[in-house]
Amino acid sequence: EKSNQSSQADLTPSFTLPLVMDGRINSENLALINKDEEWLKKELKEKGVHDISRVSLCSFENNTFYIDLIDEK
């Protein structure tokens, strides 16, 4: 009888890392994922974000970006 146990890969905890908050890059969190500011800027540009100061929050989880821009008044 086969068991329905998860593989070790499924047990890896996922966590969200804020990479940009209020327009400021969090270098410490970038270092945790072995990336640098140039990588982040390139990734954001590819997603249509050309000005980091407009980013309210940019987080990274499971190789996916979540980006929230500051609302322009």
Side-chain angles (χ1 to χ4, degrees):
E1 182 178 318
K2 288 186 177 181
S3 72
N4 287 331
Q5 289 182 341
S6 296
S7 69
Q8 185 62 39
D10 293 339
L11 298 176
T12 303
S14 67
F15 52 93
T16 302
L17 282 176
L19 300 181
V20 180
M21 291 188 308
D22 298 324
R24 287 186 292 245
I25 295 173
N26 186 321
S27 300
E28 291 175 12
N29 285 350
L30 277 173
L32 289 175
I33 58 171
N34 297 314
K35 303 292 184 186
D36 60 19
E37 288 188 23
E38 291 306 312
W39 170 84
L40 178 61
K41 289 175 183 176
K42 178 178 168 280
E43 291 292 322
L44 290 176
K45 264 189 186 160
E46 288 176 6
K47 289 159 183 40
V49 178
H50 299 281
D51 184 1
I52 288 183
S53 68
R54 291 195 58 236
V55 177
S56 171
L57 175 67
C58 170
S59 60
F60 189 70
E61 179 180 11
N62 296 329
N63 292 316
T64 303
F65 284 96
Y66 299 91
I67 302 167
D68 186 32
L69 298 178
I70 296 169
D71 292 329
E72 290 185 4
K73 307 258 186 239

